[in-house]
Amino acid sequence: DGKNNLAGVNKAAILVKRFGKHQFDYVGNSSADIPVWEKARKGVVVNASNRVLEDAKACVEIERVFKSTTKNDLYSWAKAFRFHQWMKNVLLFIPALASHQILSGLIINPLLLAFLSFSLCASSVYLVNDLLDLESDRSHPRKFKRPFATGDLQLWKGALFSPIVLIISFALAAYVNPSFTLWLGVYFVLTCFYSLRLKQLVLVDCL
């Protein structure tokens, strides 16, 4: 009703009023669900910690326990960062290769920093893009497997790590030179504009 938060004891009271004490089964996953399970006939525990599971067993008969089938975080983050897309930034090395200076310490060190900076910048945009496209990705025949769409990664993690990765990217760019930092900023603005607007325009997405 916009005033009362139906969680914990409030949720338990509403369910008892509607169905009666021990006249309903309840599915939960957190310590806030313990007061509800206490009033339930049976409980179902989904993707909860061992502590929550033990507390639930102590107050209600557990009908079934569902464990998470999500992949480990490292694998999910690798997919979210889209490391395979970093290969595009190998283009940064082409001038040094063409001029036969790739082995020069004065060239290769800033190039490696530039490559990492560009790649992290791209990954930060990928994270934001996946958060913005969450619903459309879930209905897409291929993109529904992305970590945020599947639930393998929690949304708040993407919202937290995207700006952190971006800050690291620009910090690395500052070590290269001001000109590179400027172009990285141009790249970031363009990719953001693409994610927010350009990809929604017919043919512009392909171009």
Side-chain angles (χ1 to χ4, degrees), residues 7-183:
V9 293
N10 291 336
K11 185 186 287 185
I14 290 293
L15 290 173
V16 169
K17 182 179 180 180
R18 181 174 297 182
F19 302 109
K21 188 175 181 179
H22 303 312
Q23 298 300 310
F24 63 90
D25 297 344
Y26 184 73
V27 182
N29 69 342
S30 74
S31 57
D33 296 315
I34 298 300
V36 188
W37 275 317
E38 289 175 344
K39 306 295 183 182
R41 182 181 70 96
K42 291 184 178 181
V44 176
V45 181
V46 180
N47 195 22
S49 66
N50 291 332
R51 175 63 183 274
V52 169
L53 178 59
E54 291 304 315
D55 289 346
K57 288 180 177 178
C59 65
V60 68
E61 179 185 349
I62 300 299
E63 178 76 11
R64 190 168 179 183
V65 176
F66 291 91
K67 290 292 186 179
S68 172
T69 57
T70 59
K71 300 176 179 65
N72 65 70
D73 267 8
L74 285 178
Y75 178 80
S76 298
W77 279 116
K79 289 182 65 177
F81 271 61
R82 301 185 203 172
F83 288 141
H84 62 284
Q85 298 282 15
W86 286 22
M87 290 301 296
K88 297 175 181 178
N89 297 323
V90 172
L91 288 170
L92 288 170
F93 294 90
I94 299 301
L97 281 170
S99 61
H100 307 288
Q101 299 183 60
I102 190 65
L103 298 180
S104 169
L106 294 176
I107 298 294
I108 191 63
N109 292 333
L111 266 179
L112 289 172
L113 286 177
F115 173 81
L116 184 58
S117 175
F118 241 116
S119 300
L120 288 174
C121 181
S123 290
S124 72
V125 177
Y126 291 145
L127 292 176
V128 173
N129 183 71
D130 287 354
L131 294 176
L132 293 175
D133 291 348
L134 194 63
E135 294 306 318
S136 61
D137 283 353
R138 285 173 173 165
S139 60
H140 193 278
R142 177 174 49 84
K143 295 178 181 179
F144 78 95
K145 294 181 180 180
R146 288 178 175 175
F148 293 112
T150 61
D152 287 347
L153 287 179
Q154 295 172 295
L155 303 185
W156 68 266
K157 291 182 178 179
L160 174 66
F161 279 98
S162 178
I164 292 176
V165 171
L166 184 65
I167 290 172
I168 295 173
S169 169
F170 274 88
L172 291 173
Y175 277 101
V176 180
N177 60 53
S179 178
F180 175 77
T181 306
L182 175 63
W183 282 111

